[in-house]
Amino acid sequence: MARQLIIGAGLLAALIIFPLLSPWSTVILTVALCEGLAALGILVLLRAGQVSFGHGLYFAFSAYVVAFMAAARFGHEVLILVPVATAASGLLAALVGLFVVRYRAIFFGMLNLAISMVFFSLLEKLFSITGGADGKRVPRPTLAGISLERAEFELWIFYITLGLAVLAALGVARYLLSPGGKALEAIKSNETRLEYLGVSSRKVLFGAYVLSGLLAGLGGAVIALVSGHVTPELAYWVRSGEFVFIAILGGVGGVVGPFLGALMFQIIRGYAAVYAPETWHAVLGVMLLVIIFFAPNGLYGLMTGRKPAGTGQ
Amino acid sequence: MSALILEARDLELRFGGVQAANGASLKVHANERIAIIGPNGAGKTTFINLCTGYLKPQAGRVFFGGSDITALSPRAITRLGVGRSFQIPQLFLENTVIENLLLALSARERTWSPFLRLDRHPKTEEMWALLDIVGLKDAGRRVVRELPEGMRKLIDIAVALALEPKLIFMDEPTSGVSSHEKFQVMDTLTRALDARATTAIFVEHDMDVVARYASRVAVWAGGRIAHEGTPDEILNHPEVRETVIGVGV
Ligand SMILES: Nc1ncnc2c1ncn2[C@@H]1O[C@H](COP(=O)(O)OP(=O)(O)OP(=O)(O)O)[C@@H](O)[C@H]1O
Ligand SMILES: [Mg+2]
């Protein structure tokens, strides 16, 4: 716990200073935070031993809610758009959750994938409403009633997102230590015993699922704001897979992990785009293999020196 | 005799070619200590699974406290006040012993606030006291995965007791314990049960344990309770001696 705080504080300090030194990095870092938030949602589900290959759904849904509202000049304000879009994602997660929490393992993963792909197709095919594959533009909204220039807006959004990410990480860390968080882990370790304690594992997983949808939704809402444009790609399975990739890369041992993973992912993507534009997916693949074999607790695990859990099976 | 709390009536269950329960009936009264004995593979565990909702009988009914619980889930039955330990302990292996108990405590007290830390549960002391009773206090902060089977069996029972059930099923509580420690373990368990006025049904292969701790013995044979009586009556019953005790020990 103490180590987690130190690593978290170090990362936070670096993130606070970096955009001031190199303004070009603001948007990239914001994107990393958004993906980190979605990966944090994946971490929550992984604690129950469940993997979702469809959380692009909540990321994209929230982003499109922002796009529609902003375009409709309805609540054309960051402080309205972000909470509303995040809540909408939470609501969608509750709806989908009612259904998917009945399933485990591969069925859980594939159902999430399937539902996200249905949404992806809708975004692509309902051209007149969603703009199809070209997506929708997101006009820059006001922030606390003030219209900002682009650079200023981006910097503000970055710091707001950073604050929200810190709150989210602390909140999730707290939840994971609570009885409900421990019950969530119990779904992974022994669901039979959990039921024989009189606890509904479905309810426990449902709560975690809604939380993960909210986290992905928050990330998606901010992505829409900083990129100024939304496309169906946000719901594509590759995107969902990236969230899982980021969570594993960063490590699921602590809530800082997904953010470390997201930063690393952006760095790899950035360099690969320059030096290996044709083979960057191969670079990612090799990276993942290295992590799985040599650092199964991810970057976070490397930093804290934690031994792989559950190898005594 | 005191109040009837559980009744299994004519339970039937067939697994393919195996008739695991064949008209099984049992009445359990408050504060009894019923030992179920019988040969390996006879269906004793299946009987517990039927009574606690894990398996559904193809015929017959189970009543607890006067109401029909046959169709209820293990979760619902647990909430009514039926606890259970398992032949193979069912625990949260990656957690510490005390965390296992605290989770049971949270389930019992319905303390699910996300702002409460499990290890700061207001009734944590109660769980340490329970661990003390079953002689596991020193192992409280150990991770369950590291502990031997005999200890896990006790923890499994302690987890069930943490729920403060009215009735507890224990599937071979002393099976992982060396023979010279069996009496000691049963002494502590009996004390814990007495202190809570918990009724107990336990499957047992050791006839010395049965003779000493059971108030009544039920002999499981042919998918049903074939004989019932006091330990004295049953352990000296010629047919039981031959069919169950002769091969079962
Ligand atoms: N889920 C199941 N599916 C198929 N057959 C089963 C199942 N559970 C138990 N059986 C069979 O039912 C019979 C009774 O098994 P059970 O485990 O209840 O016996 P037991 O009396 O508890 O034995 P032991 O003393 O070895 O614990 C066995 O033949 C077993 O193989
Ligand atoms: Mg058995």
Side-chain angles (χ1 to χ4, degrees), chain B residues 205-248:
Chain B
H205 282 294
D206 187 318
M207 292 309 140
D208 294 330
V209 171
V210 171
R212 198 153 154 170
Y213 298 97
S215 62
R216 198 148 62 93
V217 183
V219 182
W220 188 274
R224 59 150 67 109
I225 308 287
H227 305 277
E228 266 184 81
T230 64
D232 240 16
E233 286 163 9
I234 294 297
L235 299 180
N236 295 315
H237 193 292
E239 195 186 325
V240 173
R241 286 189 71 85
E242 193 182 328
T243 57
V244 179
I245 305 172
V247 290

Side-chain angles (χ1 to χ4, degrees), chain A residues 67 100 115:
Chain A
V100 297
I115 295 165

Side-chain angles (χ1 to χ4, degrees), chain A residues 1 171 173-204 309-313, chain B residues 49 52-54 74-75 78-79 84-86 89-95 99 103-104 106-108 111-119 121 145 156 159-160 163:
Chain A
M1 197 64 201
R174 191 80 212 208
Y175 160 67
L176 291 175
L177 288 174
S178 78
K182 295 289 177 182
L184 185 68
E185 290 175 359
I187 293 176
K188 181 179 180 180
S189 68
N190 197 328
E191 205 169 336
T192 304
R193 179 40 104 183
L194 192 60
E195 290 281 321
Y196 269 105
L197 293 182
V199 177
S200 163
S201 50
R202 280 186 194 172
K203 270 193 200 162
V204 172
T311 44
Q313 291 256 359
Chain B
N49 286 335
T52 57
Y54 193 75
R75 177 174 11 115
T78 303
R79 286 190 181 183
R84 138 165 222 196
S85 75
F86 296 80
Q90 300 293 318
L91 295 163
F92 310 119
L93 293 181
E94 313 303 339
N95 293 95
E99 281 175 335
L103 203 47
S106 302
R108 185 189 89 199
T111 34
W112 297 117
S113 161
F115 302 106
L116 175 77
R117 280 179 59 156
L118 183 71
D119 56 4
H121 196 288
R145 183 180 287 292
D156 199 34
V159 166
L163 299 170

Side-chain angles (χ1 to χ4, degrees), chain A residues 69-262:
Chain A
M69 282 176 65
R73 302 270 154 188
F74 163 68
H76 191 58
E77 159 62 49
V78 171
L79 300 184
I80 294 173
L81 289 173
V82 172
V84 170
T86 305
S89 276
L91 221 59
L92 180 64
L95 212 67
V96 175
L98 286 176
F99 173 59
V100 297
V101 298
R102 295 158 188 269
Y103 298 88
R104 298 288 177 274
I106 192 77
F107 301 102
F108 180 88
M110 290 298 118
L111 270 174
N112 275 287
L113 174 67
I115 295 165
S116 74
M117 288 310 286
V118 169
F119 186 64
F120 170 78
S121 313
L122 287 176
L123 290 178
E124 276 218 314
K125 299 290 181 277
L126 300 177
F127 185 84
S128 54
I129 306 169
T130 63
D134 294 336
K136 281 181 81 73
R137 218 177 68 78
V138 183
R140 190 181 319 130
T142 57
L143 176 59
I146 306 165
S147 298
L148 295 167
E149 282 311 304
R150 181 169 163 169
E152 250 182 312
F153 180 77
E154 285 170 353
L155 199 62
W156 271 106
I157 292 295
F158 170 74
Y159 283 115
I160 290 172
T161 311
L162 187 58
L164 289 171
V166 170
L167 285 180
L170 290 175
V172 170
R174 191 80 212 208
Y175 160 67
L176 291 175
L177 288 174
S178 78
K182 295 289 177 182
L184 185 68
E185 290 175 359
I187 293 176
K188 181 179 180 180
S189 68
N190 197 328
E191 205 169 336
T192 304
R193 179 40 104 183
L194 192 60
E195 290 281 321
Y196 269 105
L197 293 182
V199 177
S200 163
S201 50
R202 280 186 194 172
K203 270 193 200 162
V204 172
L205 188 56
F206 179 78
Y209 193 80
V210 173
L211 175 62
S212 74
L214 284 169
L215 290 166
L218 177 56
V222 176
I223 277 275
L225 292 178
V226 292
S227 50
H229 192 240
V230 295
T231 62
E233 182 273 333
L234 293 169
Y236 197 48
W237 63 270
V238 173
R239 178 67 77 154
S240 300
E242 277 173 13
F243 297 150
V244 178
F245 179 97
I246 287 167
I248 306 281
L249 176 68
V252 294
V255 294
V256 178
F259 295 100
L260 283 174

Side-chain angles (χ1 to χ4, degrees), chain B residues 15 18 20 38-47 55 87 171-172 205:
Chain B
F15 294 118
V18 182
N40 288 106
K44 305 179 294 297
T45 299
T46 301
F47 179 67
L55 293 172
Q87 189 163 355
D171 202 346
E172 307 191 14
H205 282 294

Side-chain angles (χ1 to χ4, degrees), chain B residues 135-151:
Chain B
L136 288 168
K137 200 170 182 184
D138 293 340
R141 299 214 183 276
R142 300 273 304 275
V143 174
V144 175
R145 183 180 287 292
E146 298 167 356
L147 299 174
E149 180 77 2
M151 277 171 107

